Amino acid sequence: MSRNPSRVQSGRLAARIRMPLVVVTLISLLVPIFVSVPVWWQVGTVALFIAALVLYVRAGIPQADPVDLASPVRGRWLALNSPATRVPSHRINAWSQTYAIDLVDDPADGTRHDLAWWPLARRPEDYPAFGQPVHAAISGTVVRRHDAMRDHWSRSSPIALAYFALESVRELLGPIGVLGNHVVIRDEDGVHVLVAHLRRRSVTVTPGDRVAAGDVIGQCGNSGNSTEPHVHLQAMDGPSTWTAAALPIRIAGEAPPADGDHLVAA
């Protein structure tokens, strides 16, 4: 079903150095606080940091053939931050999420809560997505799982969203702070598929397990950098979100739904 990631046509080098360059330049910017450094060091570090930010946000978008994935969810799910709407889909290239998509359970009966001034936040259990089964989007071998982060309350009001903006410091924890509980599966062609924001203690697979597309691997949660319970899906040409190149995706043989459209899977 998938395409060999060696067919990435461009952007591979940028993907490999993007996050390491951000970290190295951030550390370099802190060095003058502790020791005296020459002017050329300070100027060079600032220039490299600007270059790192450009790569982090916009430049160096990987180009490749799309990989075919099965739907990780069942039912009627609303697409947000879709690569069908913009690339990078999440407005940044960081953590190999250039072509990632977020899916939110959105039943036709309107039981999903919209943004409102009150309450300031809701328990994750108040959302229909929370606890819904999450399925493997590809057949292959589990190479990573994380299952220990708590499911926090929603950021479902303007005030809570302002707090969410401050939570960007989660990135200081690395990918776990952003992705929360997650699973990475590698197929026989070397394509790696990641699903994130899973419910704490819900992951049912461990590294080394073989899974088939459609197998249940966990439950939807609200861990990591998440405003409400949802499933984050992305494909990469390697196992590490530090250095992998993002890959475009199709879901069930079709382009992913655009923002505001629905993915309906039986």
Side-chain angles (χ1 to χ4, degrees):
M1 287 178 63
S2 64
R3 303 278 186 171
N4 192 316
S6 65
R7 296 180 183 176
V8 174
Q9 297 156 1
S10 65
R12 184 187 295 271
L13 176 60
R16 300 287 185 261
I17 68 172
R18 179 177 291 118
M19 297 310 298
L21 186 61
V22 169
V23 173
V24 169
T25 54
L26 278 174
I27 294 173
S28 298
L29 286 172
L30 295 176
V31 169
I33 297 176
F34 305 100
V35 298
S36 178
V37 297
V39 173
W40 64 262
W41 173 285
Q42 299 179 43
V43 173
T45 298
V46 170
L48 280 176
F49 182 65
I50 293 173
L53 288 180
V54 172
L55 287 173
Y56 177 93
V57 175
R58 186 65 59 178
I61 292 176
Q63 303 294 324
D65 296 328
V67 297
D68 287 315
L69 306 179
S71 174
V73 293
R74 302 291 182 267
R76 182 177 183 265
W77 291 67
L78 181 69
L80 299 173
N81 299 318
S82 170
T85 299
R86 76 186 69 83
V87 176
S89 60
H90 287 58
R91 297 180 174 83
I92 56 175
N93 286 310
W95 311 119
S96 309
Q97 60 183 350
T98 301
Y99 298 102
I101 188 171
D102 291 334
L103 297 167
V104 179
D105 193 7
D106 187 35
D109 62 8
T111 52
R112 173 179 169 251
H113 298 289
D114 290 325
L115 184 72
W117 283 101
W118 190 261
L120 296 179
R122 296 181 183 273
R123 295 179 182 274
E125 294 86 354
D126 291 343
Y127 289 84
F130 189 74
Q132 290 294 321
V134 176
H135 304 259
I138 203 167
S139 298
T141 303
V142 177
V143 296
R144 180 175 297 120
R145 62 162 275 172
H146 189 77
D147 195 37
M149 293 189 71
R150 68 180 182 87
D151 296 285
H152 56 73
W153 285 40
S154 70
R155 311 300 185 237
S156 52
S157 68
I159 292 176
L161 284 177
Y163 175 72
F164 177 74
L166 298 176
E167 288 184 297
S168 60
V169 295
R170 287 178 183 273
E171 288 206 57
L172 296 177
L173 299 176
I176 289 177
V178 177
L179 301 171
N181 303 318
H182 61 279
V183 171
V184 179
I185 300 171
R186 181 190 64 237
D187 79 353
E188 61 184 10
D189 291 328
V191 171
H192 292 70
V193 175
L194 180 151
V195 290
H197 309 307
L198 301 177
R199 185 177 184 178
R200 187 180 191 184
R201 307 302 182 198
S202 75
V203 175
T204 59
V205 294
T206 58
D209 288 351
R210 291 282 302 173
V211 298
D215 288 351
V216 174
I217 57 175
Q219 297 176 10
C220 178
N222 200 42
S223 57
N225 198 45
S226 174
T227 56
E228 68 174 277
H230 73 283
V231 175
H232 172 103
L233 173 70
Q234 67 186 60
M236 313 173 290
D237 73 344
S240 173
T241 56
W242 282 100
T243 56
L247 298 173
I249 62 173
R250 287 193 294 254
I251 302 177
E254 298 182 358
D259 287 0
D261 291 340
H262 288 87
L263 172 69
V264 180

